[in-house]
Amino acid sequence: MVPYMLATVVIGMMLSTQPPLNSMLGRAVGSAYGAATISIAVALASILAFIVFSGWGDISRKSLGSVPWWVYLSGLAGAIFVASGPVVAPVTGAMVFFVCIVAGQLIGSMLADHFGAFGLDVRTVSVWRLLGLAMVLGGALLVSRG
């Protein structure tokens, strides 16, 4: 478990560079959404390269049709995240942007766990979870003032 957690921290550190780099690209091309499009195109090319080495899996009409239509909204969520970075991060700064992103992720994750959404095991809201969430939200407020 620990190696996965450490890898995820490193990935999070890498992810923190995306909004400022996309902001730089957005200024160069004159469009935050143009920058997001380029970023997503590079992501697509990268994942296609990964697939060459790891395999495609079962990408077929049958497998793609076996999930509800709204499962594909995950791509929309990714696009909104990428497109919001070069718009919001220059105004808020990278740290406030990501603290608010993390706060939103925690709220959404806590609700998904509580209701067992998307096939997750049910993990009910507890005082400890609410306290942790309150600390992150408080941190967001503190970071935004400093």
Side-chain angles (χ1 to χ4, degrees), residues 7-77:
T8 304
V9 168
V10 171
I11 292 166
M13 290 171 63
M14 289 173 33
L15 189 60
S16 71
T17 66
Q18 190 178 36
L21 292 176
N22 281 344
S23 294
M24 290 175 65
L25 184 57
R27 286 190 298 275
V29 301
S31 169
Y33 301 117
T37 302
I38 294 166
S39 180
I40 290 171
V42 171
L44 175 62
S46 301
I47 204 68
L48 289 174
F50 291 149
I51 286 174
V52 168
F53 296 105
S54 66
W56 284 90
D58 179 24
I59 301 176
S60 65
R61 276 191 186 167
K62 182 178 178 185
S63 66
L64 296 175
S66 70
V67 295
W69 67 268
W70 44 264
V71 167
Y72 297 102
L73 293 178
S74 66
L76 177 61

Side-chain angles (χ1 to χ4, degrees), residues 66-115:
S66 70
V67 295
W69 67 268
W70 44 264
V71 167
Y72 297 102
L73 293 178
S74 66
L76 177 61
I80 290 170
F81 169 74
V82 172
S84 70
V87 174
V88 178
V91 176
T92 64
M95 190 170 187
V96 170
F97 175 78
F98 273 103
V99 169
C100 292
I101 289 288
V102 169
Q105 287 174 322
L106 292 175
I107 292 167
S109 298
M110 185 168 50
L111 291 170
D113 278 349
H114 181 76
F115 293 107

